[in-house]
Amino acid sequence: MGEISDGFIEAVTLIVTLNPEILEIAARSLYVSIAATLVAALIAIPLGALIYYYDFRGKRAVINIVQTLYALPTVIVGLLVYLLVSYSGPLGFLNLLYTTNAMIIAQVILVSPLIVGFTVTGLSGLDKEMKYTTMALNARAYRGILTLIREAKFAILSAVVLAFGRAIAEVGAVMMVGGNIRHFTRTLTTAITLNTSMGDFAMSIALGIILLTIALIVNFCVNILQHYNGRVKDE
């Protein structure tokens, strides 16, 4: 217990004194996860809206596949991206392996199904008549889709925030394609893994506190968005 309490006290000291390495790791984690979430949102929100907007054969199967990908193992994503960006892979000429860009690509693949699925769910929560009215009033499909997205904006934003929460807590894929290189690709999760294995519990606890704080902020934001979404539905 003494070792744990001493490690906790030292961890708090590292945070309070704004340890440069901790700040660097936290900033890199935020950059990678925010960038990945934004890119994924730009791709996945329109895709989810298109799946909801159009009726087509196999639609239910597509949605089931997307929902299955919620639990996509991170190491599978890491392996896929590694094979793509490795020097012998099809994208090897871009020299992306062991860079933050490779980590962003991995996280985009990881969180996109979440945003697609929850976008479909959020839009499905709208009044069915709204969809048909929107389709009738808008000659161009993209205008109708944008109208529906605006109506379900709080539910969709909740999906984006949840996706960010999964991205920043991810460890397997970013370690595989980023290499956990100090001052270059090391993130909160990979640094915690490394420092724990090295016995540097103070640094691990400090990074864990920061990660937990971010998780709490994400949860708080999701609750606020869900609250506003409920108020909009009641009105």
Side-chain angles (χ1 to χ4, degrees):
M1 289 296 294
E3 184 178 357
I4 296 175
S5 60
D6 291 343
F8 186 83
I9 293 171
E10 188 176 347
V12 173
T13 303
L14 288 171
I15 295 172
V16 172
T17 57
L18 302 178
N19 179 271
E21 186 167 3
I22 288 178
L23 293 178
E24 175 196 320
I25 292 171
R28 185 178 301 110
S29 295
L30 288 170
Y31 163 71
V32 170
S33 297
I34 290 173
T37 304
L38 291 177
V39 172
L42 290 173
I43 298 170
I45 292 174
L47 181 58
L50 285 170
I51 292 172
Y52 168 78
Y53 193 77
Y54 291 106
D55 293 321
F56 54 89
R57 182 175 296 179
K59 179 175 179 177
R60 185 69 255 173
V62 170
I63 294 174
N64 286 336
I65 291 171
V66 170
Q67 291 174 341
T68 300
L69 292 176
Y70 291 174
L72 183 64
T74 61
V75 290
I76 298 298
V77 175
L79 176 61
L80 173 64
V81 177
Y82 185 93
L83 293 175
L84 287 174
V85 304
S86 65
Y87 299 115
S88 59
L91 301 179
F93 66 95
L94 295 175
N95 295 318
L96 292 173
L97 188 61
Y98 303 137
T99 66
T100 54
N101 288 332
M103 295 158 64
I104 290 171
I105 292 171
Q107 289 192 0
V108 168
I109 295 173
L110 187 66
V111 304
S112 289
L114 277 174
I115 301 178
V116 171
F118 281 104
T119 296
V120 174
T121 301
L123 292 172
S124 298
L126 297 175
D127 190 336
K128 291 292 183 183
E129 291 300 320
M130 183 178 296
K131 174 183 175 180
Y132 300 124
T133 302
T134 302
M135 294 175 71
L137 294 177
N138 292 277
R140 297 186 178 181
Y142 78 90
R143 291 181 178 174
I145 290 172
L146 287 176
T147 299
L148 293 173
I149 288 175
R150 283 196 294 269
E151 291 296 325
K153 58 183 177 293
F154 291 117
I156 294 172
L157 283 173
S158 294
V160 174
V161 175
L162 283 170
F164 168 76
R166 185 178 188 194
I168 201 163
E170 199 284 317
V171 58
V174 296
M175 183 173 286
M176 292 176 69
V177 301
N180 198 21
I181 303 171
R182 189 179 186 187
H183 303 310
F184 193 47
T185 59
R186 188 163 295 172
T187 63
L188 287 169
T189 52
T190 60
I192 290 171
T193 302
L194 177 65
N195 283 290
T196 301
S197 66
M198 294 172 58
D200 189 352
F201 298 114
M203 179 66 80
S204 295
I205 293 171
L207 294 170
I209 291 172
I210 293 173
L211 188 59
L212 181 60
T213 301
I214 293 172
L216 290 173
I217 293 172
V218 168
N219 185 62
F220 179 72
C221 292
V222 170
N223 286 333
I224 290 177
L225 290 170
Q226 290 177 341
H227 171 72
Y228 279 105
N229 186 46
R231 287 183 58 183
V232 170
K233 286 183 178 180
D234 292 338
E235 292 174 0

